[in-house]
Protein backbone atom coordinates (compact mmCIF):
# COMPACT_ATOMS: atom_id res chain seq x y z
CA UNK A 1 0.00 0.00 0.00
CA UNK A 2 2.86 2.36 0.73
CA UNK A 3 4.13 2.04 -2.82
CA UNK A 4 0.65 2.69 -4.14
CA UNK A 5 0.47 5.87 -2.12
CA UNK A 6 3.88 6.98 -3.39
CA UNK A 7 2.71 6.34 -6.90
CA UNK A 8 -0.42 8.42 -6.39
CA UNK A 9 1.69 11.32 -5.10
CA UNK A 10 4.13 11.12 -8.00
CA UNK A 11 1.32 11.01 -10.55
CA UNK A 12 -0.56 13.87 -8.96
CA UNK A 13 2.43 16.20 -8.68
CA UNK A 14 3.50 15.48 -12.24
CA UNK A 15 0.01 16.26 -13.47
CA UNK A 16 -0.30 19.48 -11.46
CA UNK A 17 2.95 20.90 -12.85
CA UNK A 18 1.56 20.88 -16.38
CA UNK A 19 -1.81 22.50 -15.55
CA UNK A 20 -2.56 25.95 -17.01
CA UNK A 21 -6.19 26.65 -16.12
CA UNK A 22 -8.39 26.84 -13.02
CA UNK A 23 -10.84 24.33 -14.40
CA UNK A 24 -8.15 21.73 -15.12
CA UNK A 25 -6.82 22.30 -11.61
CA UNK A 26 -10.23 21.68 -10.08
CA UNK A 27 -10.64 18.60 -12.25
CA UNK A 28 -7.37 17.18 -10.94
CA UNK A 29 -8.30 17.96 -7.35
CA UNK A 30 -11.54 16.01 -7.73
CA UNK A 31 -9.78 13.08 -9.38
CA UNK A 32 -7.32 12.70 -6.50
CA UNK A 33 -8.95 14.16 -3.40
CA UNK A 34 -12.65 14.06 -4.27
CA UNK A 35 -15.11 11.54 -2.83
CA UNK A 36 -14.38 9.11 -5.61
CA UNK A 37 -10.78 10.23 -6.06
CA UNK A 38 -7.76 7.96 -6.19
CA UNK A 39 -6.44 8.90 -2.77
CA UNK A 40 -9.86 8.53 -1.19
CA UNK A 41 -10.24 5.13 -2.79
CA UNK A 42 -6.78 4.08 -1.63
CA UNK A 43 -7.48 5.15 1.93
CA UNK A 44 -10.38 2.68 2.01
CA UNK A 45 -7.62 0.00 1.93
CA UNK A 46 -6.73 0.97 5.52
CA UNK A 47 -9.24 -1.63 6.61
CA UNK A 48 -7.04 -4.46 5.39
CA UNK A 49 -3.77 -3.13 6.82
CA UNK A 50 -2.45 -5.06 9.81
CA UNK A 51 -2.61 -3.43 13.21
CA UNK A 52 1.21 -2.95 13.44
CA UNK A 53 1.42 -1.25 10.05
CA UNK A 54 -1.60 1.04 10.55
CA UNK A 55 0.31 3.98 12.12
CA UNK A 56 2.93 4.07 9.37
CA UNK A 57 0.37 3.79 6.58
CA UNK A 58 -1.89 6.38 8.22
CA UNK A 59 1.00 8.81 8.44
CA UNK A 60 1.91 8.20 4.82
CA UNK A 61 -1.68 8.82 3.80
CA UNK A 62 -1.60 12.21 5.52
CA UNK A 63 1.72 13.13 3.97
CA UNK A 64 0.48 12.35 0.50
CA UNK A 65 -2.75 14.30 1.05
CA UNK A 66 -0.79 17.30 2.34
CA UNK A 67 1.69 17.17 -0.51
CA UNK A 68 -1.09 17.11 -3.12
CA UNK A 69 -3.09 19.83 -1.36
CA UNK A 70 -0.18 22.23 -1.15
CA UNK A 71 0.83 21.55 -4.76
CA UNK A 72 -2.75 22.46 -5.78
CA UNK A 73 -2.63 25.65 -3.73
CA UNK A 74 0.72 26.73 -5.11
CA UNK A 75 -0.49 26.15 -8.63
CA UNK A 76 -3.64 28.15 -8.00
CA UNK A 77 -1.57 31.10 -6.68
CA UNK A 78 0.74 30.85 -9.66
CA UNK A 79 -2.22 30.96 -12.08
CA UNK A 80 -3.55 34.13 -10.36
CA UNK A 81 -0.11 35.77 -10.58
CA UNK A 82 0.03 35.03 -14.30
CA UNK A 83 -3.41 36.58 -14.84
CA UNK A 84 -2.46 39.69 -12.83
CA UNK A 85 0.73 40.15 -14.80
CA UNK A 86 -1.23 39.88 -18.05
CA UNK A 87 -3.75 42.48 -16.85
CA UNK A 88 -1.02 44.94 -15.92
CA UNK A 89 1.09 44.50 -19.04
CA UNK A 90 1.01 47.68 -21.06
CA UNK A 91 0.33 49.83 -17.96
CA UNK A 92 3.20 52.06 -16.88
CA UNK A 93 2.83 52.05 -13.10
CA UNK A 94 5.46 54.79 -12.77
CA UNK A 95 3.22 57.38 -14.49
CA UNK A 96 1.78 60.01 -12.12
CA UNK A 97 -1.89 59.40 -11.20
CA UNK A 98 -4.78 61.44 -12.58
CA UNK A 99 -5.85 63.96 -9.94
CA UNK A 100 -9.48 63.79 -8.76
CA UNK A 101 -11.25 67.11 -9.30
CA UNK A 102 -11.86 68.75 -5.91
CA UNK A 103 -15.13 70.53 -5.21
CA UNK A 104 -15.36 73.79 -3.31
CA UNK A 105 -17.93 75.64 -1.25
CA UNK A 106 -20.28 77.99 -3.07
CA UNK A 107 -19.34 81.64 -2.42
CA UNK A 108 -22.69 82.09 -0.67
CA UNK A 109 -21.84 79.30 1.75
CA UNK A 110 -18.50 80.94 2.50
CA UNK A 111 -20.19 84.25 3.24
CA UNK A 112 -22.92 82.65 5.32
CA UNK A 113 -20.37 80.69 7.39
CA UNK A 114 -18.45 83.90 8.08
CA UNK A 115 -21.53 85.92 8.96
CA UNK A 116 -22.88 83.24 11.27
CA UNK A 117 -19.58 82.87 13.07
CA UNK A 118 -19.36 86.63 13.73
CA UNK A 119 -22.94 86.75 15.03
CA UNK A 120 -22.55 83.63 17.14
CA UNK A 121 -19.64 85.29 18.88
CA UNK A 122 -22.07 88.04 19.81
CA UNK A 123 -24.41 85.47 21.34
CA UNK A 124 -26.93 84.94 18.53
CA UNK A 125 -28.26 81.40 18.10
CA UNK A 126 -29.58 79.99 14.82
CA UNK A 127 -33.35 79.72 14.35
CA UNK A 128 -35.34 78.32 11.45
CA UNK A 129 -38.76 78.45 9.82
CA UNK A 130 -40.53 77.14 6.72
CA UNK A 131 -40.05 78.61 3.23
CA UNK A 132 -43.72 77.93 2.41
CA UNK A 133 -45.39 80.26 4.88
CA UNK A 134 -48.83 81.35 5.96
CA UNK A 135 -49.89 84.90 5.19
CA UNK A 136 -50.18 85.33 8.93
CA UNK A 137 -46.49 84.66 9.68
CA UNK A 138 -45.23 86.50 6.63
CA UNK A 139 -47.47 89.58 6.86
CA UNK A 140 -50.33 89.96 9.37
CA UNK A 141 -48.33 89.11 12.48
CA UNK A 142 -45.65 91.49 11.20
CA UNK A 143 -48.13 94.38 11.29
CA UNK A 144 -48.45 94.31 7.50
CA UNK A 145 -52.12 94.91 6.59
CA UNK A 146 -53.95 93.23 3.72
CA UNK A 147 -53.65 96.31 1.49
CA UNK A 148 -49.87 96.57 1.80
CA UNK A 149 -48.17 96.50 -1.64
CA UNK A 150 -45.78 93.69 -0.59
CA UNK A 151 -48.82 91.40 -0.50
CA UNK A 152 -49.83 92.04 -4.12
CA UNK A 153 -50.38 89.07 -6.40
CA UNK A 154 -47.78 90.66 -8.62
CA UNK A 155 -45.11 90.75 -5.91
CA UNK A 156 -45.51 87.41 -4.19
CA UNK A 157 -45.76 83.73 -5.16
CA UNK A 158 -49.07 82.43 -3.76
CA UNK A 159 -50.22 78.81 -3.65
CA UNK A 160 -53.82 77.82 -4.25
CA UNK A 161 -54.23 76.88 -0.59
CA UNK A 162 -53.46 80.48 0.39
CA UNK A 163 -49.91 79.82 1.51
CA UNK A 164 -47.01 81.63 -0.14
CA UNK A 165 -43.27 81.50 -0.65
CA UNK A 166 -42.00 83.74 2.13
CA UNK A 167 -40.95 87.14 0.83
CA UNK A 168 -38.50 87.63 3.67
CA UNK A 169 -37.03 85.71 6.59
CA UNK A 170 -38.85 88.02 9.03
CA UNK A 171 -41.50 85.30 9.42
CA UNK A 172 -38.95 83.47 11.58
CA UNK A 173 -39.15 86.35 14.08
CA UNK A 174 -42.82 85.49 14.60
CA UNK A 175 -42.26 81.73 14.69
CA UNK A 176 -39.56 82.16 17.33
CA UNK A 177 -41.51 84.53 19.56
CA UNK A 178 -44.58 82.27 19.40
CA UNK A 179 -42.66 79.48 21.06
CA UNK A 180 -39.95 81.18 23.12
CA UNK A 181 -40.09 83.87 25.77
CA UNK A 182 -37.56 86.71 26.01
CA UNK A 183 -34.63 87.15 26.16
CA UNK A 184 -34.38 86.22 22.47
CA UNK A 185 -31.22 86.55 20.46
CA UNK A 186 -31.53 84.68 17.16
CA UNK A 187 -30.36 84.77 13.58
CA UNK A 188 -32.21 83.00 10.79
CA UNK A 189 -30.44 82.52 7.47
CA UNK A 190 -32.54 81.22 4.59
CA UNK A 191 -34.14 81.63 1.18
CA UNK A 192 -36.72 84.26 0.33
CA UNK A 193 -38.76 84.75 -2.84
CA UNK A 194 -40.24 87.69 -4.72
CA UNK A 195 -41.72 88.27 -8.14
CA UNK A 196 -38.86 90.61 -8.97
CA UNK A 197 -37.53 91.16 -12.45
CA UNK A 198 -34.15 89.43 -12.40
CA UNK A 199 -31.23 91.79 -13.02
CA UNK A 200 -27.69 92.40 -11.79
CA UNK A 201 -28.85 93.26 -8.27
CA UNK A 202 -32.17 91.34 -7.99
CA UNK A 203 -33.02 87.64 -8.02
CA UNK A 204 -36.48 86.12 -7.58
CA UNK A 205 -35.06 83.51 -5.21
CA UNK A 206 -32.49 85.08 -2.94
CA UNK A 207 -31.01 84.68 0.51
CA UNK A 208 -31.43 86.66 3.65
CA UNK A 209 -30.06 86.63 7.14
CA UNK A 210 -32.61 87.72 9.73
CA UNK A 211 -31.73 88.83 13.24
CA UNK A 212 -33.91 89.44 16.29
CA UNK A 213 -32.93 90.60 19.76
CA UNK A 214 -35.62 91.03 22.42
CA UNK A 215 -34.95 91.77 26.07
CA UNK A 216 -35.51 94.49 28.65
CA UNK A 217 -34.06 97.87 27.68
CA UNK A 218 -32.84 97.05 24.17
CA UNK A 219 -32.16 100.35 22.42
CA UNK A 220 -31.45 101.75 18.99
CA UNK A 221 -27.84 102.18 20.10
CA UNK A 222 -27.64 98.39 20.56
CA UNK A 223 -28.96 97.88 17.05
CA UNK A 224 -26.54 100.33 15.47
CA UNK A 225 -23.58 99.03 17.46
CA UNK A 226 -24.39 95.42 16.61
CA UNK A 227 -24.69 96.04 12.87
CA UNK A 228 -21.63 98.29 12.70
CA UNK A 229 -19.56 95.74 14.55
CA UNK A 230 -20.89 92.98 12.31
CA UNK A 231 -20.14 94.72 9.00
CA UNK A 232 -16.69 95.82 10.13
CA UNK A 233 -15.85 92.27 11.19
CA UNK A 234 -17.01 91.09 7.77
CA UNK A 235 -15.45 93.74 5.56
CA UNK A 236 -12.74 95.40 7.60
CA UNK A 237 -12.60 98.23 10.12
CA UNK A 238 -12.57 100.93 7.40
CA UNK A 239 -16.00 99.85 6.10
CA UNK A 240 -18.27 102.85 5.48
CA UNK A 241 -21.90 102.45 6.48
CA UNK A 242 -24.91 104.71 6.51
CA UNK A 243 -28.26 104.29 8.23
CA UNK A 244 -31.06 105.87 6.19
CA UNK A 245 -34.49 106.38 7.80
CA UNK A 246 -36.97 104.08 6.08
CA UNK A 247 -40.31 102.40 6.69
CA UNK A 248 -41.05 98.78 7.55
CA UNK A 249 -44.47 97.88 8.99
CA UNK A 250 -42.93 95.71 11.72
CA UNK A 251 -40.25 98.09 13.01
CA UNK A 252 -40.46 101.65 14.32
CA UNK A 253 -38.22 103.52 13.78
CA UNK A 254 -36.86 101.74 10.72
CA UNK A 255 -33.69 102.12 8.67
CA UNK A 256 -32.04 100.88 5.58
CA UNK A 257 -28.33 100.25 5.87
CA UNK A 258 -26.10 101.08 2.91
CA UNK A 259 -22.52 100.07 2.49
CA UNK A 260 -19.89 101.68 0.27
CA UNK A 261 -19.15 99.03 -2.33
CA UNK A 262 -15.95 98.86 -4.36
CA UNK A 263 -16.36 96.45 -7.29
CA UNK A 264 -13.09 95.70 -9.01
CA UNK A 265 -12.51 98.15 -11.85
CA UNK A 266 -15.66 100.18 -11.17
CA UNK A 267 -16.49 103.37 -9.37
CA UNK A 268 -17.47 102.75 -5.77
CA UNK A 269 -21.10 103.28 -4.87
CA UNK A 270 -23.49 102.92 -1.93
CA UNK A 271 -25.49 99.71 -2.04
CA UNK A 272 -28.40 98.81 0.17
CA UNK A 273 -27.45 95.83 2.27
CA UNK A 274 -29.94 95.51 5.13
CA UNK A 275 -33.22 96.66 6.60
CA UNK A 276 -33.55 97.08 10.34
CA UNK A 277 -35.34 98.82 13.15
CA UNK A 278 -36.83 98.60 16.63
CA UNK A 279 -39.57 95.96 16.84
CA UNK A 280 -42.95 97.70 16.52
CA UNK A 281 -45.05 97.41 19.73
CA UNK A 282 -47.95 96.20 17.54
CA UNK A 283 -45.91 93.10 16.71
CA UNK A 284 -45.37 92.37 20.42
CA UNK A 285 -49.06 92.94 21.07
CA UNK A 286 -50.08 90.50 18.38
CA UNK A 287 -47.61 87.90 19.67
CA UNK A 288 -49.07 88.38 23.15
CA UNK A 289 -52.54 87.56 21.80
CA UNK A 290 -51.28 84.43 20.04
CA UNK A 291 -49.38 83.25 23.11
CA UNK A 292 -52.06 84.27 25.57
CA UNK A 293 -49.50 85.52 28.10
CA UNK A 294 -47.67 88.74 29.00
CA UNK A 295 -44.13 87.59 28.08
CA UNK A 296 -44.00 90.20 25.31
CA UNK A 297 -45.58 93.11 27.15
CA UNK A 298 -44.42 96.10 25.04
CA UNK A 299 -44.29 98.21 28.22
CA UNK A 300 -41.63 95.95 29.70
CA UNK A 301 -39.55 94.71 26.81
CA UNK A 302 -38.13 96.06 23.59
CA UNK A 303 -36.12 94.66 20.72
CA UNK A 304 -34.44 95.21 17.43
CA UNK A 305 -34.57 93.24 14.18
CA UNK A 306 -32.55 93.27 11.02
CA UNK A 307 -32.63 91.45 7.70
CA UNK A 308 -29.76 91.51 5.26
CA UNK A 309 -29.26 90.17 1.76
CA UNK A 310 -26.70 87.37 1.77
CA UNK A 311 -26.32 87.50 -2.01
CA UNK A 312 -25.30 91.12 -1.70
CA UNK A 313 -22.87 90.28 1.09
CA UNK A 314 -21.27 87.85 -1.36
CA UNK A 315 -21.16 90.57 -4.03
CA UNK A 316 -19.31 92.84 -1.66
CA UNK A 317 -17.01 90.18 -0.24
CA UNK A 318 -15.80 89.06 -3.65
CA UNK A 319 -16.41 92.16 -5.76
CA UNK A 320 -18.93 90.26 -7.90
CA UNK A 321 -20.59 92.75 -10.27
CA UNK A 322 -23.69 90.68 -11.12
CA UNK A 323 -25.82 88.56 -8.73
CA UNK A 324 -26.88 86.25 -11.54
CA UNK A 325 -23.41 84.71 -11.49
CA UNK A 326 -24.33 83.19 -8.13
CA UNK A 327 -27.13 81.04 -9.55
CA UNK A 328 -25.79 80.09 -12.95
CA UNK A 329 -23.61 77.23 -11.63
CA UNK A 330 -20.83 78.00 -14.07
CA UNK A 331 -17.79 76.13 -12.74
CA UNK A 332 -15.44 78.70 -14.29
CA UNK A 333 -17.00 81.18 -11.88
CA UNK A 334 -17.48 78.88 -8.89
CA UNK A 335 -13.99 77.37 -8.94
CA UNK A 336 -12.51 80.77 -8.15
CA UNK A 337 -13.72 80.53 -4.56
CA UNK A 338 -12.13 77.25 -3.49
N1 LIG B 1 -37.76 91.96 6.04
C1 LIG B 1 -37.21 93.19 5.53
C2 LIG B 1 -36.96 93.02 4.01
O1 LIG B 1 -36.95 91.92 3.54
C3 LIG B 1 -35.92 93.52 6.19
C4 LIG B 1 -36.07 93.82 7.63
C5 LIG B 1 -35.88 92.83 8.57
C6 LIG B 1 -36.39 95.08 8.07
C7 LIG B 1 -36.02 93.10 9.93
C8 LIG B 1 -36.50 95.39 9.40
C9 LIG B 1 -36.33 94.39 10.33
O2 LIG B 1 -36.78 93.98 3.31
Amino acid sequence: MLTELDQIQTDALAEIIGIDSDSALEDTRVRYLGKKGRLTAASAGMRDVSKEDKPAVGQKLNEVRNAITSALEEKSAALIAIRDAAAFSGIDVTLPGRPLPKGSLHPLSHVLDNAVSVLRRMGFAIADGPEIETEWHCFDALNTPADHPARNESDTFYFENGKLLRTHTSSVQIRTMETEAPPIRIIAPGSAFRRDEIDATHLSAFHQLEGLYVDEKVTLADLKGTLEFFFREMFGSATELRFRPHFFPFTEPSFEVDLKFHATGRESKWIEIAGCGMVDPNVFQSIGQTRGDAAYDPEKISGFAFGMGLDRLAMITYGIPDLRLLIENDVRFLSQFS
Side-chain angles (χ1 to χ4, degrees):
M1 182 154 173
L2 289 178
T3 14
E4 192 196 344
L5 291 174
D6 271 335
Q7 188 58 48
I8 293 177
Q9 174 165 347
T10 314
D11 290 351
L13 296 191
E15 217 178 285
I16 290 170
I17 286 178
I19 284 176
D20 62 0
S21 77
D22 284 343
S23 58
L25 196 64
E26 174 61 9
D27 187 55
T28 302
R29 189 190 66 77
V30 171
R31 269 187 296 104
Y32 285 91
L33 306 181
K35 260 193 206 145
K36 293 181 184 152
R38 269 176 77 185
L39 191 65
T40 319
S43 63
M46 275 295 270
R47 257 178 287 148
D48 307 324
V49 176
S50 67
K51 215 172 179 186
E52 310 83 77
D53 291 342
K54 259 200 176 124
V57 176
Q59 196 188 348
K60 183 74 185 172
L61 201 61
N62 280 338
E63 280 170 18
V64 172
R65 176 175 296 276
N66 289 341
I68 298 177
T69 307
S70 55
L72 287 167
E73 281 169 2
E74 268 171 38
K75 190 65 184 189
S76 167
L79 289 176
I80 290 175
I82 289 169
R83 275 204 303 275
D84 283 353
F88 283 129
S89 74
I91 295 179
D92 181 353
V93 293
T94 64
L95 281 176
R98 296 192 188 94
L100 286 177
K102 239 193 288 163
S104 60
L105 284 181
H106 192 280
L108 270 178
S109 304
H110 275 298
V111 167
L112 177 58
D113 286 354
N114 273 347
V116 167
S117 83
V118 173
L119 288 159
R120 285 181 73 120
R121 268 195 280 138
M122 286 192 269
F124 287 89
I126 295 204
D128 200 6
E131 289 173 4
I132 297 176
E133 255 305 0
T134 60
E135 281 196 74
W136 172 260
H137 289 95
C138 200
F139 297 126
D140 301 271
L142 285 160
N143 198 34
T144 308
D147 60 0
H148 193 277
R151 302 180 63 155
N152 274 350
E153 286 278 329
S154 58
D155 284 322
T156 307
F157 297 105
Y158 286 94
F159 292 92
E160 271 166 17
N161 64 6
K163 288 197 174 177
L164 47 86
L165 289 179
R166 66 181 179 193
T167 57
H168 51 186
T169 44
S170 299
S171 51
V172 185
Q173 291 184 36
I174 302 301
R175 296 226 167 240
T176 306
M177 289 190 283
E178 279 174 353
T179 53
E180 284 169 47
I184 297 268
R185 205 184 295 179
I186 55 116
I187 44 174
S191 303
F193 310 86
R194 283 180 208 173
R195 277 198 157 158
D196 273 343
E197 283 297 323
I198 296 179
D199 63 24
T201 51
H202 295 86
L203 299 176
S204 58
F206 55 105
H207 303 85
Q208 288 192 325
L209 178 73
E210 192 78 14
L212 174 68
Y213 181 24
V214 183
D215 203 347
E216 287 168 18
K217 303 194 180 80
V218 177
T219 69
L220 185 56
D222 295 322
L223 166 60
K224 195 155 182 273
T226 301
L227 287 183
E228 279 175 352
F229 178 81
F230 171 77
F231 286 118
R232 294 196 169 125
E233 282 295 292
M234 290 291 287
F235 303 120
S237 52
T239 302
E240 288 178 79
L241 293 167
R242 76 184 178 196
F243 286 70
R244 254 184 312 106
H246 194 73
F247 173 79
F248 294 105
F250 38 93
T251 46
E252 179 62 31
S254 305
F255 304 88
E256 275 188 340
V257 185
D258 300 335
L259 189 146
K260 194 71 154 297
F261 172 48
H262 313 271
T264 21
R266 294 177 192 221
E267 235 177 79
S268 54
K269 59 175 183 199
W270 289 104
I271 74 166
E272 178 207 328
I273 183 97
C276 64
M278 303 305 292
V279 179
D280 194 301
N282 286 345
V283 173
F284 286 143
Q285 221 137 36
S286 149
I287 288 287
Q289 271 158 24
T290 308
R291 292 174 55 96
D293 66 14
Y296 285 91
D297 180 352
E299 300 295 323
K300 297 211 180 83
I301 50 124
S302 55
F304 68 69
F306 57 84
M308 60 184 92
L310 279 174
D311 311 84
R312 295 199 181 174
L313 289 189
M315 266 181 115
I316 294 167
T317 306
Y318 298 112
I320 298 169
D322 191 325
L323 278 184
R324 287 169 288 197
L325 288 163
L326 291 173
I327 55 168
E328 281 169 354
N329 283 339
D330 185 335
V331 282
R332 290 168 303 179
F333 170 74
L334 294 175
S335 63
Q336 297 172 52
F337 304 95
S338 46

